[in-house]
Amino acid sequence: MINGLKRAAALGAATVALAAGAVVGTVGTASAAPQDHRPPVASHHCVKVAGHWARQWHPAFRDRHHRWHPGQWTRVWRPAHLECHRGHHRG
């Protein structure tokens, strides 16, 4: 019984040491990898646009029964969103 506990404790310690070595190994390789992070670009300008109704033109068309439907304006809901524009710096 004592030998079994000693063996289990040794196996547990070996597993912990192996796992710690794997974590250290991956951290070492991750920090040695080239960094491809770009600094934030100052030319982007984002604005939160509230939801609103907009007018949308639907052009005239002929349906599958050959009936003519004239063009018309309809109102469509544009949900809130974030609009980002790239500024063009002239220098």
Side-chain angles (χ1 to χ4, degrees):
M1 176 85 177
I2 301 281
N3 287 338
L5 290 176
K6 285 182 184 178
R7 189 180 321 160
L11 184 60
T15 304
V16 170
L18 184 61
V23 169
V24 170
T26 57
V27 169
T29 57
S31 62
Q35 298 294 324
D36 192 27
H37 298 290
R38 295 181 182 155
V41 180
S43 64
H44 280 81
H45 180 70
C46 297
V47 176
K48 182 165 176 58
V49 178
H52 62 279
W53 286 99
R55 291 176 51 184
Q56 182 175 5
W57 176 253
H58 293 275
F61 70 99
R62 191 177 302 274
D63 67 13
R64 64 182 179 178
H65 302 293
H66 306 289
R67 273 184 274 169
W68 182 253
H69 297 274
Q72 63 183 356
W73 286 101
T74 58
R75 288 176 37 150
V76 292
W77 177 252
R78 305 280 186 211
H81 60 279
L82 198 61
E83 282 188 4
C84 295
H85 302 283
R86 293 188 96 179
H88 296 286
H89 185 271
R90 296 181 185 175

